[in-house]
């Protein structure tokens, strides 16, 4: 099995729900799109390096569907469009049998991940990330910490105990801290 890297946008109070869109209103969440005002060239450059890397992508069903609606089948000149179209995408879901986005493969459970040899990057997909953390399958977390609190919304770790070792940080001009952590243990 390849390495699994989780990339998450978070507020300072740990909220990860709907950072770029208003698509996820579960639990009455009304503050979607909170990360958008913090975009800047330093953030785009750092995240772009990760997206351009030679790896597959791993999604939970909800995030996959949001990403497919936003990026699937686009023909614009955004550099991420071509990268996302050509990458192999895996979707962990018990209800999505035939994903429609090009280069997408369904994965019915975490045990199937052991057969995937390439490195995988997980974007969003909070429920999946928590399951991966409990199973001890996350090798690295890239936490994109935005300088705001929301006071509501789903958090990344919830009641999980995860111990991390900081490897590197990048601070953007808008105060976003991109922290690269290696997992030490999970409980």
């Amino acid at each position: 099995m390849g390495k699994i890297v989780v990339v998450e946008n978070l507020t300072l109070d740990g909220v990860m729900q709907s950072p770029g869109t208003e698509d996820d209103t579960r639990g009455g969440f009304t503050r979607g799109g909170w990360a958008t005002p913090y975009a800047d060239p330093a953030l785009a450059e750092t995240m772009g390096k990760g997206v351009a890397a030679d790896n597959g992508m791993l999604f939970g069903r909800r995030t996959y569907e949001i990403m497919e609606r936003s990026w699937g089948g686009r023909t614009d000149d955004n550099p991420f469009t071509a990268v996302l179209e050509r990458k192999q995408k895996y979707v962990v879901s018990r209800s999505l049998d035939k994903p429609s986005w090009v280069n997408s493969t369904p994965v019915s459970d975490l045990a199937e991940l052991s057969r995937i040899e390439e490195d995988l990057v997980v974007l969003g997909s909070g429920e999946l990330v928590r399951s991966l953390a409990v199973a001890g399958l996350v090798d690295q977390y890239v936490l994109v910490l935005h300088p705001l609190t929301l006071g509501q919304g789903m958090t990344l770790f919830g009641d999980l105990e995860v111990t991390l070792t900081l490897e590197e940080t990048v601070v953007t001009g808008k105060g976003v801290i991109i922290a690269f952590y290696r997992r030490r243990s999970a409980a």
Side-chain angles (χ1 to χ4, degrees):
M1 184 166 98
K3 183 167 103 169
I4 295 180
V5 176
V6 167
V7 178
E8 292 292 350
N9 286 285
L10 300 173
T11 63
L12 293 177
D13 54 348
V15 174
M16 60 159 303
Q17 189 170 357
S18 254
T21 66
E22 298 178 10
D23 285 351
D24 187 354
T25 58
R26 286 178 291 165
F29 188 71
T30 60
R31 299 180 184 181
W34 51 265
T36 304
Y38 297 96
D40 72 1
L43 180 61
E45 179 183 344
T46 303
M47 294 295 97
K49 289 176 189 172
V51 170
D54 188 24
N55 55 266
M57 302 187 81
L58 180 63
F59 297 106
R61 182 192 49 81
R62 233 181 245 101
T63 301
Y64 172 84
E65 289 173 344
I66 291 168
M67 291 292 289
E68 181 183 23
R69 279 194 305 273
S70 299
W71 293 96
R74 284 172 54 165
T75 57
D76 57 30
D77 60 356
N78 184 314
F80 293 119
T81 299
V83 171
L84 290 171
E85 284 290 300
R86 86 169 186 292
K87 281 190 180 281
Q88 180 62 47
K89 294 166 277 295
Y90 299 92
V91 189
V92 179
S93 174
R94 289 183 288 278
S95 63
L96 185 66
D97 296 330
K98 296 184 90 174
S100 57
W101 194 5
V102 66
N103 298 322
S104 295
T105 303
V107 175
S108 61
D109 60 44
L110 297 184
E112 282 187 50
L113 295 177
S114 65
R115 292 184 287 228
I116 300 172
E117 294 182 12
E118 68 185 309
D119 291 345
L120 299 173
V121 172
V122 183
L123 302 177
S125 306
E127 291 177 33
L128 172 61
V129 170
R130 284 186 284 281
S131 295
L132 292 168
V134 168
L137 297 176
V138 178
D139 298 290
Q140 183 183 41
Y141 291 90
V142 179
L143 303 181
V144 185
L145 304 168
H146 294 73
L148 79 154
T149 61
L150 296 177
Q152 75 165 123
M154 288 181 283
T155 61
L156 176 60
F157 295 112
D159 60 358
L160 292 179
E161 181 180 327
V162 179
T163 304
L164 306 171
T165 299
L166 182 65
E167 296 179 317
E168 177 187 357
T169 59
V170 174
V171 180
T172 74
K174 292 194 175 183
V176 174
I177 299 169
I178 306 165
F180 297 81
Y181 290 99
R182 181 175 34 84
R183 176 186 55 91
R184 284 200 332 223
S185 65

